[in-house]
Amino acid sequence: FGGAVKVAFENFLFLFGGHPFDVGDKIFLGGTRMYEVKRVALQTMELDHFGELRVVQNSTVRATEPLVNLSRSKMHWVTCDYLVDARLVTEEFLEKVKADLALFLKKDPETYQQEFRIDSYEFVPPEKIKLTLMLTMRFSFENLNRSRIAQSKAGIAFAQVLHKHGAKYSTVLEFSEHVGSMAVR
C-alpha cells in the first residue's frame, strides 16, 4: 500500500507541480513519436498518434522518458547533411555558400530565423566532407506539414547553392528536426 501512495503522490506532483502538458497539446514522448494528449488522469494518460493509435500510458513512465511539449515550443531547428568533394571545401567556398544561404533565408523571415550555421568537420571516404546546415524555424514543430515544406525548401536551396559553387556530386544524407536538445527523426 505504501508504494501505491508514493506513486500516486509522485504522479500528483508531476501533473500539478510541473504541469508539462494539457489536453490537446502535441508532445513527443521518448523521442520516437508525436502524440496528441486526449485525456490526463492521475495514473494514466490517453494519447493519440495521428488518429490511428490510442495509448494509455502509465504516469510513472512520463517522469522517466524524455518529453517535449511541441505546443509550448515556439521554435525548432532542422539539419540537412550533404556529402561534398573534399577538394572544394575551403574557407572561401564556405563563405560564398553562407552568403547565398543568408539571401535565401532573408526572403522568408516569417519561416526562417536569420542565424544559421554550416559545419564541415566530418571526413567521409572516399574524399568527401559532410556539410551540415543547421537552421531554426520560427514556428512550433507542432505544425508538422509546414515544417516539412520549409525543410524541403531549405534543403533544395542548400543543394542549389552548393551546385552553384561547384559541388556537382552532393548527396542528401538525412533531414532531422530538433526541439530543444532532442533529435526527432
Side-chain angles (χ1 to χ4, degrees):
F1 181 72
V5 172
K6 179 183 177 230
V7 169
F9 181 70
E10 288 172 352
N11 288 334
F12 178 81
L13 288 178
F14 181 78
L15 286 175
F16 300 107
H19 195 68
F21 48 78
D22 294 310
V23 171
D25 283 356
K26 303 273 193 310
I27 64 171
F28 268 105
L29 183 64
T32 56
R33 285 191 163 172
M34 183 166 56
Y35 298 97
E36 181 177 352
V37 178
K38 291 295 189 180
R39 187 176 66 81
V40 179
L42 192 57
Q43 294 291 329
T44 61
M45 65 181 175
E46 191 172 329
L47 305 173
D48 180 34
H49 179 67
F50 296 110
E52 299 173 4
L53 178 66
R54 296 255 174 175
V55 177
V56 177
Q57 185 78 39
N58 185 313
S59 298
T60 57
V61 174
R62 296 186 299 230
T64 59
E65 292 192 26
L67 185 143
V68 175
N69 188 331
L70 301 173
S71 299
R72 295 182 188 174
S73 301
K74 298 301 176 205
M75 294 189 286
H76 68 288
W77 54 281
V78 296
T79 63
C80 178
D81 297 331
Y82 283 85
L83 292 179
V84 176
D85 188 1
R87 290 173 279 161
L88 282 175
V89 182
T90 63
E91 288 299 319
E92 180 183 350
F93 171 82
L94 290 174
E95 290 305 315
K96 289 178 183 177
V97 169
K98 288 177 184 177
D100 285 351
L101 277 172
L103 293 174
F104 166 78
L105 297 176
K106 284 181 184 173
K107 291 178 185 175
D108 193 355
E110 296 294 317
T111 300
Y112 305 105
Q113 193 165 329
Q114 300 308 304
E115 297 82 26
F116 68 96
R117 129 181 165 208
I118 298 175
D119 287 341
S120 58
Y121 55 84
E122 188 174 336
F123 183 77
V124 179
E127 300 179 15
K128 301 285 184 185
I129 290 184
K130 182 167 83 169
L131 294 182
T132 301
L133 168 66
M134 289 175 272
L135 55 100
T136 302
M137 304 290 185
R138 291 189 176 269
F139 55 90
S140 172
F141 186 62
E142 179 179 28
N143 190 338
L144 185 61
N145 189 43
R146 182 179 178 198
S147 180
R148 292 284 189 232
I149 292 168
Q151 186 177 15
S152 294
K153 287 180 181 179
I156 290 167
F158 190 31
Q160 289 172 340
V161 167
L162 290 173
H163 183 72
K164 174 184 172 182
H165 295 290
K168 295 180 180 153
Y169 300 103
S170 56
T171 304
V172 177
L173 294 177
E174 66 182 36
F175 274 119
S176 61
E177 298 86 17
H178 304 272
V179 181
S181 61
M182 183 185 85
V184 180
R185 297 197 195 280

